[in-house]
Amino acid sequence: PTLREYTGLSKRKLQQVVDYINNYLDRDLGLAELAAVVQMSPHYFCHLFKQSTGLTPHQYVIRTRVERAKALIVEGKL
């Protein structure tokens, strides 16, 4: 069997960014800000984030906001 080379953010860095997004979802989250969380250049971060999640950071933030809004509607808090 051949080992497939892993490309993308490490699990730890991806979790850091996802946690940051979830904690500050109500703010305007820019690419530079998210890249700074894991100490990378915005371009390189964007590339690795998309490899890791299949979405650009912007798409991920929008999707997370929509999911949060859906949850709040279901709970009756919105």
Side-chain angles (χ1 to χ4, degrees):
T2 59
L3 294 176
R4 192 172 133 220
E5 184 177 328
Y6 176 76
T7 56
L9 291 170
S10 68
K11 288 181 182 183
R12 184 181 62 81
K13 287 188 177 192
L14 181 60
Q15 190 61 52
Q16 282 179 307
V17 174
V18 168
D19 289 343
Y20 187 85
I21 291 169
N22 288 326
N23 289 334
Y24 298 103
L25 200 55
D26 59 328
R27 291 180 31 194
D28 184 24
L29 297 171
L31 181 59
E33 182 179 355
L34 296 176
V37 170
V38 289
Q39 301 169 346
M40 291 183 176
S41 73
H43 177 77
Y44 188 55
F45 166 74
C46 187
H47 179 73
L48 292 180
F49 189 89
K50 186 165 184 176
Q51 283 183 334
S52 298
T53 64
L55 301 168
T56 65
H58 179 72
Q59 291 170 329
Y60 185 87
V61 169
I62 297 299
R63 182 171 286 179
T64 304
R65 284 182 176 148
V66 168
E67 293 303 317
R68 173 88 48 96
K70 285 180 184 178
L72 290 172
I73 290 170
V74 168
E75 293 172 9
K77 293 183 179 178
L78 189 63

